[in-house]
């Protein structure tokens, strides 16, 4: 009985190996050969590189309103870094309070404008 179980496992393994071998022989037939396109293929890559470089140039050239003042000194600069150097506005550590404040104000305005967002007076416990 144990020999019969070993034979079935061996036959399944050999069948899987044969299937993988057939797959390897047939699969290259479906791959299209690469074509040399010259400048046509390089143009989109060059545009993408230029677009990514253009996004970084203004951030390096921009100066903050407090740049060079006495407020941009060690103990205080950790709280007002974006005002000294606007490059820190893209940093998530300094960007999070700005985004949080924006969305908190947006939600507050929506709650004030739309009465449907206010809780129902009849459902209050008290």
């Amino acid at each position: 009985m144990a020999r019969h179980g070993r034979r079935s496992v061996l036959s399944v393994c050999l069948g899987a190996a044969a299937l993988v071998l057939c797959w390897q022989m047939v699969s290259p037939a479906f791959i299209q050969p690469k074509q040399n396109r010259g400048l046509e293929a390089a143009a989109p890559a060059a545009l993408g590189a230029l677009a990514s470089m253009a996004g970084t140039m203004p951030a390096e050239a921009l100066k903050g309103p407090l740049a060079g003042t006495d407020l941009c000194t060690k103990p205080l600069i950790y709280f007002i870094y974006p005002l000294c150097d606007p490059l820190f506005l893209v940093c998530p550590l300094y960007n999070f309070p700005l985004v949080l404040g924006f969305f908190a104000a947006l939600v507050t305005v929506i709650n004030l404008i739309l009465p449907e967002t206010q809780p129902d007076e009849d459902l209050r416990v008290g």
Side-chain angles (χ1 to χ4, degrees), residues 52-116:
S52 66
M53 286 174 41
T56 60
M57 287 180 202
E60 294 170 358
L62 198 62
K63 290 206 174 212
L66 298 179
T69 62
D70 290 335
L71 291 175
C72 294
T73 56
K74 275 293 182 187
L76 189 60
I77 197 167
Y78 297 114
F79 299 104
I80 60 168
Y81 248 136
L83 295 174
C84 296
D85 189 5
L87 185 63
F88 285 96
L89 285 175
V90 295
C91 176
L93 180 68
Y94 295 104
N95 194 6
F96 177 73
L98 297 174
V99 172
L100 181 67
F102 171 76
F103 282 111
L106 183 70
V107 168
T108 303
V109 168
I110 289 173
N111 281 337
L112 291 174
I113 291 174
L114 300 175
E116 293 84 18

Side-chain angles (χ1 to χ4, degrees), residues 6-20:
R6 289 183 188 165
R7 286 185 189 166
S8 64
V9 170
L10 184 60
S11 63
V12 167
C13 288
L14 287 176
L19 183 68
V20 169

